[in-house]
Amino acid sequence: SMLGVAFLAGLKTSSPSMKLSVSQYFNKQSLMDYRLTSTLGFTAEDVYAASNLNYVSHAEGTYIIDAFMDAGESEYVTKIHAAGGSLNQPVILDGRLPQSADECAIEQISTLDIKIGDTLSLRTSDSNYSEFLSDGKFTVVGIIQSPEYISLDRGTSTLGSGKVDFYLYLSSDAFKSDIYTDILLTI
């Protein structure tokens, strides 16, 4: 009986503790509540309109695009986020966030030997995102962990096999469009 009671008590207390820990982590990293995505994009006026809705406390335009990343002999589908906004702040494990258009911060990848100072090649010319980002080389200046990716799943893409392999952050200066791909909202 005592073993059963101890097991049940452990189950009852672990769920609230896990919820509290995740909530504190998301609040600390300013995780958005909702993401609006458009194939046509959003203008600064759209972001302003979203920020003036009754239930929205903050709205922020951002870029989230897919590209191919060449690493050694292999090619990977990568989800690229714009750094520099106030929402969805990544945890910096090593180094720093990108500050110029030729820098990037990448997630910690155990299967690849990517470290600070390495150069990555990104290619958007084979995707629908070539108007947002020029193909180019980017120097890794940081290793990060994003609050948007708490599981092993990185999402889907229209590129390659349809599976996103990794994510990385670029400075917002690297993007060449005034049209945002997404609006992040807090409620």
Side-chain angles (χ1 to χ4, degrees), residues 8 17 19 27-28 33 47 105 122 126 140 152 155 178 186-187:
L8 181 61
S17 295
K19 287 179 183 175
N27 288 337
K28 183 178 177 187
D33 293 316
V47 177
L122 297 178
D126 297 344
V140 177
L152 296 176
D178 292 334
T186 55
I187 305 301

Side-chain angles (χ1 to χ4, degrees), residues 119-131:
T119 301
L120 303 177
S121 295
L122 297 178
R123 187 168 34 88
T124 58
S125 56
D126 297 344
S127 72
N128 295 330
Y129 298 108
S130 59
E131 69 272 7

